[in-house]
Amino acid sequence: MPILAALAASAAPPAAAQPGDPTLRDSFSIGDQGGALCEVQATIRDSVIKGMFDRAWVIVCRDASQPVGYVRMLRASAAVARARIEAGRAGAVTCVDGDTCTVKNSNIGWTTRIETDGNTAFAVEGFTAYGDALNIALESIRQKKLVPGQIKVATTSVGGGDGFARTLAGTIDIDKALAEGYRRNHSGDYAEAAEFFEALSQRTADEQGAAGIDPTEFTLNRALQRSNLGEFAEADRLFGEVEAIPTSDPVQLRLRRNFRAIHALNQRDYDGAAALLETPIPPLTNAVAVNGTAVTLTPEIVAGVNSGANARAVRQASDRERLSPLERAQIIDAQAVHLLGTVERLRGNPQAAKAAQLKGLADAVAVREGRVTSIVRLRSQMLGELALTEEALGDNAAADARFQESIAALAIEYPETNALASARARYAAFLTRHGEDDKALAIYHDVVGALASSQRSTTGMANMMAPYYRLLASRAASDAKAAGDFFIASQLQVRPGVADTQAVLARELSAGSDDGARLFRQATTLDRDIERARIEDARLAQMPETPEVNSLRADLKTQLTNLSFQQSETLAKLSDYPQYRVVASGKLDLAELQQVLRPDEAYLKMLVVGDSVYGMLIGQTDAQLWRSDISAQGLENAVDTIRSTISIVENGKRVTYPFDAATARKLYTQLFAPVADRLPAVTHLIFEPDGAMLRLPINLLITSDSGLADYEQRVGDPNADAFDMRNIAWLGRATRPSTAVSVLGFRNARQAPPSNAAREYFGLGENLPVRGGVLPSLGTRGATGGGVDGSCQWDVSQWSRPISAAELVTASSTMDRGAATLLTGGAFTDTAVKNRSDLSDYRIIHFATHGLVTAPRPSCPARPALVTSFGDKDSDGLLTFQEIFDLKLNADLVILSACDTAGAATVAATREAGVASGGGNALDGLVRSFIGAGGRSVIASHWPAPDDFDATQRLIGGLFAAPQGESIADALWTSEKQLMDDKRTSHPYYWAGFAIIGDGGQPLLHGTTATAQKGAAGQSAL
């Protein structure tokens, strides 16, 4: 488990609210339950900072990421009130004629209304879309009573891909956004935290300077997040970016030291970590020195001012809601001492480790007498590490007490979060090491239940959860509940790459302007409201029972019930949107999956945890769980060996060797021995891979020894055809496999209504090569894989070897006239695809182009994309996975006949490609984005589609030669068998590369395809 303990800037309890008008509460809700419920909250910020207003309130609505309006009460005339308001918003709002205003640099409407009562002016201003909320809030303040009314929020769109929510996200208070990133980090939501820090790092230097924030802090946090996800090369690049900007700020120097040390620990470089932690940094003393009547800044603060962090360094010293730089430095130094103790424990020196860890813990809690709430997570981690040290010393009783103290530290501030679940799972793992399996199982069961009910995952907890899976697998034969418990827990074990991808796509969804995006923002806000209410309830539960406390808890219970009801309603509506179904977390129990399985189907689920590999085979009425007879590393080696005989690059050329049938046969037995005889009898096998099997199609595993001896003899005979594999017992010859990205994803695909698109087929591909061998100067945004820097630019060769459109022509020729459309050559640009309004008119969308699923270099972030032609000045020659996610499709099937779109990503691959340290696949990038855009199922390739013997053209052509009503899996299986039975194409390279992701049991063609049977791919087998 990586060590992660970033420190938030704000920590102390906020200043007490000022007393409000006794006839109206300082915080009250407006709008009925049928609308977008909003809240009016009193604030003293304007009066304190500007001295302009007597009273002020902000209006916060559940579907918005920042306040939507402001109400102010002024002892002034309407004209003076307007002048003050306009002065306060100068530069942020542009007004053309009176109250006809917009947010600067957008078309988002901004409304102002002023009412007077004697010598008092009541003013409201805010987003026009929330006019109902503005009016109700103003009247409630003016009349000193709650004014009833319904709030209806209009969905707005300002064109150019920029919507209402995107404007909000771009203007949210940068300091609050930083705190939100830290909050997610402390809760254990690392992928979400990484997204916040990345978004913040892209804000302008002027904004960061105005907020008094050192911009390197964002990049520093991104670097640590990447390190914690095992993406060390990209983390090194980000750390390098930070270090290229010199600083004398003592706080930032300490953060850099600690984060670099944690990065070294993640890579098991204990000596490197120790060297970093022992690097001396000048102490930071009090900000102000007083000598008689003279007041001066200390040299440390002067250095901070000179390094550009002046606003934060000075302002924090007198701000009750923040830690001073000195306090923050003390906590970071305490963390460094504690980390040194961790290094000693890992080096095998528990006595030295305990001394350092105790000192680090004492130093941390000494700040403000332990009342710093933002270090609760850090304190819990320190206690957990100390427990491991005491366990190493043989003092198990002390270790047990420390683990429980670690859990208690989080229970109030972070209830039902990954942070608390992680602490509890760590304790359960400790219990299993000391023979207390039943007690550990009970804790694990509670952890899984809590995470499942709150729709969270166990990302980053694999090592701590590993004993749970091992115990369940060992008890599966005698405990009927074990398989069901394993099944639920396994769905929460989300790979870091998947979590990252979902965080990126969730941010994309949240930034949208349609109803789905609005509902998603509302659901996110409700989640936070529920979390805050539960935190408050946990705090009250620690207090002595009194009538007042009991009343408050009763009110909270009612509030939670109402919030949960609203959330259920919101999620029910969201389930209609494909984009949400892709980013949503959730789980099914065995019975729920079995209800959607057909009699001739089975669901085969793999799970890799640590070095253990598990399997589950689930039918309509039964389920079998086992631990495979192969380690995770052994699986990696076997897959690498097999793939090296299918398609590898040597000296710049792609080469295929005689297939390693012996390894494929052995791997089948090692993985699936308990069900080896049953699998070939399953007509439709839904396979959810994990680990290295994400990089290998299951259909090329070999189920029996039949034909192996003859094949091995041919391989050893230089005069025989070593590529003739017609008599091999492939699993794909007996069953029709399809791939599921998750249990929930398969169920959703199965239950999704079929497309009602009017047209049958849209084929896109064969990009136009770049002229002159130089990328267009205006197309570097996509070419650089997200605009990181010039070193992350894709080579022009990616555009210089287009895939032929022959297979698109073949597929379209099977359709009736007018049922198919092609977009190829210079017309096939990214901008053309994004600007088409008729994409939802097609049932099948087929791309024949290269897919870029890795990164140009290991240090670059991956941005999976499809290669297109270059178009106008806004074109980057790539259709990125984020752009795909925003397309509006209504397709039963998307075909990606591209290079490696579902298969092996190299060690250069990172997050959206679904990496899990050292390799991954594009299932979590391109495929998920197409499903989110509205594709029910996707066919993607595990390796570059072969052109030899027209194999791909024949395979795709055979697919479309299927009779109406035949399932996708049956159609692909029939086409693959034709290639299996052809001596020239019987090697798996030619027939096994395409995988169905989604529901292969759905019909491929159910429109009018009068010419389907004449398919151009009907070549005879040899």
Side-chain angles (χ1 to χ4, degrees):
M1 173 66 179
I3 299 170
L4 177 64
L7 300 174
S10 59
Q18 296 297 303
D21 191 313
T23 60
L24 190 66
R25 290 170 293 168
D26 283 336
S27 178
F28 57 94
S29 296
I30 57 175
D32 64 19
Q33 296 298 322
L37 190 65
C38 301
E39 188 172 272
V40 181
Q41 301 170 352
T43 176
I44 60 170
R45 182 183 182 200
D46 288 324
S47 58
V48 170
I49 295 177
K50 300 176 183 177
M52 298 172 67
F53 307 115
D54 299 313
R55 293 293 308 280
W57 294 260
V58 295
I59 307 170
V60 179
C61 293
R62 289 219 169 110
D63 63 344
S65 60
Q66 74 169 54
V68 301
Y70 306 87
V71 183
R72 300 179 179 98
M73 182 179 73
L74 308 89
R75 291 185 177 88
S77 65
V80 171
R82 181 176 296 279
R84 290 182 181 178
I85 290 170
E86 290 176 350
R89 69 190 185 198
V93 173
T94 302
C95 296
V96 178
D97 180 23
D99 290 338
T100 305
C101 306
T102 58
V103 177
K104 185 179 179 181
N105 298 325
S106 80
N107 292 327
I108 301 298
W110 188 263
T111 295
T112 304
R113 176 186 163 198
I114 300 176
E115 300 287 342
T116 58
D117 185 357
N119 65 349
T120 301
F122 295 89
V124 67
E125 64 172 329
F127 292 104
T128 303
Y130 285 84
D132 292 339
L134 303 182
N135 290 331
I136 295 172
L138 177 64
E139 289 304 313
S140 295
I141 297 296
R142 193 169 69 86
Q143 299 180 32
K144 298 182 179 180
K145 68 178 183 180
L146 292 176
V147 174
Q150 184 174 3
I151 299 170
K152 294 181 180 179
V153 181
T155 300
T156 65
S157 177
V158 297
D162 190 14
F164 179 67
R166 195 162 299 185
T167 299
L168 290 177
T171 58
I172 190 171
D173 184 278
I174 197 168
D175 222 14
K176 291 180 180 177
L178 176 62
E180 191 70 13
Y182 276 118
R183 188 189 71 81
R184 281 164 164 72
N185 176 71
H186 295 159
S187 297
D189 299 321
Y190 301 136
E192 288 187 24
E195 283 305 307
F196 258 83
F197 292 126
E198 181 169 356
L200 284 166
S201 69
Q202 295 170 359
R203 301 282 284 270
T204 66
D206 289 343
E207 282 186 279
Q208 295 164 354
I213 296 175
D214 186 333
T216 63
E217 188 167 334
F218 306 140
T219 307
L220 194 60
N221 275 279
R222 289 171 57 205
L224 184 59
Q225 299 289 357
R226 299 272 69 79
S227 176
N228 277 304
L229 293 173
E231 298 159 10
F232 301 132
E234 188 180 354
D236 280 333
R237 178 180 62 80
L238 292 169
F239 277 122
E241 285 184 15
V242 172
E243 289 161 3
I245 303 174
T247 182
S248 300
D249 183 338
V251 170
Q252 293 301 320
L253 288 173
R254 284 166 167 79
L255 281 177
R256 294 181 182 189
R257 174 198 63 194
N258 285 19
F259 283 20
R260 266 290 196 181
I262 295 171
H263 178 48
L265 280 172
N266 285 340
Q267 299 173 85
R268 303 180 189 275
D269 180 8
Y270 305 142
D271 292 342
L276 285 163
L277 293 167
E278 291 167 346
T279 301
I281 295 178
L284 190 151
T285 58
N286 287 324
V288 177
V290 180
N291 183 11
T293 59
V295 179
T296 60
L297 294 178
T298 63
E300 289 80 14
I301 294 301
V302 173
V305 171
N306 291 335
S307 70
N310 55 315
R312 173 163 289 253
V314 176
R315 180 162 55 91
Q316 287 177 353
S318 59
D319 189 341
R320 290 181 57 194
E321 297 186 14
R322 296 182 177 278
L323 290 169
S324 70
L326 174 59
E327 290 170 324
R328 201 175 182 205
Q330 289 171 336
I331 293 173
I332 300 171
D333 281 342
Q335 181 191 37
V337 173
H338 174 80
L339 287 171
L340 271 172
T342 298
V343 170
E344 291 301 323
R345 178 180 68 80
L346 295 170
R347 283 170 162 175
N349 304 318
Q351 289 287 2
K354 183 173 181 178
Q357 288 171 342
L358 285 172
K359 184 180 187 307
L361 180 61
D363 290 348
V365 300
V367 177
R368 297 198 188 181
E369 299 176 342
R371 293 181 290 105
V372 181
T373 58
S374 70
I375 70 161
V376 168
R377 178 75 195 283
L378 175 62
R379 180 169 171 263
S380 175
Q381 288 181 322
M382 286 179 164
L383 290 165
E385 278 293 316
L386 183 55
L388 292 174
T389 298
E390 288 172 328
E391 182 185 11
L393 289 167
D395 191 349
N396 293 334
D400 190 294
R402 296 285 189 191
F403 277 124
Q404 295 195 52
E405 190 180 354
S406 170
I407 294 168
L410 292 170
I412 297 177
E413 292 295 331
Y414 298 100
E416 300 187 36
T417 62
N418 286 71
L420 178 58
S422 179
R424 299 185 70 198
R426 176 181 280 196
Y427 178 45
F430 163 77
L431 293 173
T432 64
R433 292 194 294 271
H434 298 282
E436 297 188 61
D437 291 351
D438 290 339
K439 185 176 179 181
L441 278 172
I443 294 174
Y444 276 128
H445 190 269
D446 289 345
V447 166
V448 169
L451 290 174
S453 65
S454 60
Q455 295 193 343
R456 293 178 179 271
S457 71
T458 56
T459 301
M461 295 168 54
N463 290 339
M464 288 169 281
M465 293 298 295
Y468 184 50
Y469 297 112
R470 186 172 62 250
L471 285 172
L472 291 175
S474 67
R475 298 185 177 198
S478 58
D479 184 353
K481 293 179 55 181
D485 290 344
F486 185 100
F487 182 66
I488 291 175
S490 67
Q491 294 172 67
L492 306 183
Q493 193 72 42
V494 179
R495 297 186 304 278
V498 176
D500 247 347
T501 298
Q502 288 179 315
V504 173
L505 295 182
R507 189 177 69 178
E508 192 74 12
L509 172 56
S510 183
S513 58
D514 60 8
D515 286 342
R518 181 185 64 79
L519 285 168
F520 183 69
R521 292 193 296 274
Q522 180 173 303
T524 301
T525 305
L526 284 167
D527 273 341
R528 294 174 190 167
D529 289 344
I530 290 169
E531 181 183 351
R532 281 193 289 266
R534 286 173 172 161
I535 290 172
E536 178 63 12
D537 186 56
R539 185 186 69 82
L540 292 172
Q542 303 298 311
M543 299 175 65
E545 282 196 35
T546 65
E548 183 181 3
V549 169
N550 290 339
S551 176
L552 289 171
R553 294 197 69 189
D555 288 345
L556 277 173
K557 184 177 180 180
T558 301
Q559 181 183 351
L560 279 168
T561 299
N562 292 336
L563 288 170
S564 298
F565 176 76
Q566 293 173 52
Q567 185 69 304
S568 296
E569 280 192 327
T570 303
L571 295 179
K573 295 175 183 177
L574 268 172
S575 64
D576 293 334
Y577 294 87
Q579 285 188 317
Y580 173 71
R581 293 199 295 265
V582 168
V583 303
S585 56
K587 58 83 185 173
L588 301 179
D589 58 33
L590 274 174
E592 289 174 308
L593 173 62
Q594 289 170 327
Q595 286 174 2
V596 299
L597 291 177
R598 296 164 183 157
D600 62 346
E601 292 180 331
Y603 194 98
L604 178 60
K605 179 176 178 60
M606 282 185 63
L607 181 68
V608 176
V609 185
D611 205 34
S612 297
V613 180
Y614 299 93
M616 281 194 75
L617 185 65
I618 303 159
Q620 265 193 335
T621 59
D622 66 325
Q624 189 171 350
L625 166 65
W626 68 92
R627 183 178 178 181
S628 298
D629 186 24
I630 190 172
S631 67
Q633 187 57 56
L635 177 60
E636 291 280 352
N637 295 339
V639 169
D640 287 343
T641 298
I642 293 171
R643 281 193 63 108
S644 70
T645 65
I646 297 174
S647 179
I648 62 170
V649 176
E650 291 182 350
N651 299 321
K653 295 183 178 180
R654 194 161 291 279
V655 180
T656 298
Y657 286 99
F659 185 70
D660 190 341
T663 301
R665 170 70 179 124
K666 181 180 179 182
L667 181 58
Y668 177 79
T669 303
Q670 289 176 311
L671 285 175
F672 309 124
V675 294
D677 295 335
R678 182 179 169 186
L679 290 182
V682 177
T683 301
H684 180 204
L685 184 67
I686 303 107
F687 178 49
E688 183 184 338
D690 198 11
M693 285 303 294
L694 289 160
R695 303 187 284 116
L696 194 73
I698 193 175
N699 55 356
L700 57 63
L701 296 184
I702 299 173
T703 63
S704 77
D705 295 333
S706 176
L708 277 181
D710 290 342
Y711 171 70
E712 295 295 345
Q713 186 175 358
R714 287 195 298 276
V715 172
D717 184 351
N719 298 317
D721 187 351
F723 286 78
D724 182 359
M725 305 193 72
R726 286 175 292 177
N727 296 319
I728 299 298
W730 309 109
L731 178 62
R733 183 181 287 279
T735 186
R736 299 126 174 97
S738 59
T739 302
V741 295
S742 69
V743 175
L744 190 64
F746 168 73
R747 197 280 303 272
N748 289 342
R750 166 109 342 152
Q751 293 185 339
S755 169
N756 59 0
R759 306 184 70 182
E760 196 72 21
Y761 178 88
F762 187 19
L764 310 91
E766 196 171 35
N767 67 281
L768 197 67
V770 176
R771 294 180 180 178
V774 178
L775 288 173
S777 59
L778 295 177
T780 56
R781 177 175 60 86
T784 58
V788 178
D789 56 43
S791 68
C792 286
Q793 181 170 312
W794 283 103
D795 188 85
V796 69
S797 62
Q798 299 294 344
W799 285 264
S800 302
R801 45 188 180 86
I803 292 176
S804 170
E807 65 186 81
L808 302 178
V809 174
T810 298
S812 64
S813 68
T814 67
M815 309 293 167
D816 278 340
R817 182 174 298 175
T821 299
L822 295 183
L823 188 70
T824 61
F828 171 49
T829 68
D830 53 323
T831 49
V833 175
K834 290 185 291 184
N835 292 334
R836 287 190 75 105
S837 60
D838 65 342
L839 291 177
S840 61
D841 293 344
Y842 295 92
R843 282 193 58 253
I844 300 171
I845 296 181
H846 182 180
F847 286 87
T849 187
H850 292 289
L852 308 178
V853 301
T854 64
R857 267 155 295 286
S859 61
C860 301
R863 290 291 186 269
L866 295 177
V867 171
T868 70
S869 301
F870 279 88
D872 58 26
K873 63 180 182 179
D874 294 325
S875 172
D876 59 17
L878 295 174
L879 194 61
T880 67
F881 86 120
Q882 290 150 298
E883 292 168 337
I884 292 166
F885 186 69
D886 287 333
L887 299 177
K888 303 301 181 185
L889 308 182
N890 184 19
D892 283 333
L893 180 65
V894 176
I895 301 174
L896 304 181
S897 180
C899 172
D900 215 16
T901 51
T906 68
V907 290
T910 50
R911 48 172 215 249
E912 292 90 352
V915 101
S917 179
N921 64 90
L923 292 177
D924 307 319
L926 289 176
V927 173
R928 283 179 184 268
S929 62
F930 271 112
I931 293 173
R936 277 90 171 152
S937 296
V938 177
I939 293 180
S941 53
H942 273 276
W943 46 76
D947 294 327
D948 304 337
F949 312 116
D950 295 325
T952 299
Q953 184 178 345
R954 290 162 57 192
L955 186 70
I956 298 298
L959 181 70
F960 286 101
Q964 294 181 32
E966 185 169 84
S967 72
I968 300 171
D970 281 339
L972 183 60
W973 177 71
T974 300
S975 190
E976 287 174 343
K977 283 212 306 177
Q978 292 179 357
L979 297 181
M980 286 183 211
D981 293 335
D982 184 334
K983 178 180 178 181
R984 300 171 304 169
T985 55
S986 57
H987 189 288
Y989 171 59
Y990 298 103
W991 60 264
F994 285 93
I996 302 167
I997 300 101
D999 182 10
Q1002 300 296 340
L1004 173 64
L1005 300 172
H1006 52 63
T1008 56
T1009 53
T1011 60
Q1013 298 303 320
K1014 73 176 185 180
Q1019 301 186 23
S1020 61
L1022 297 179

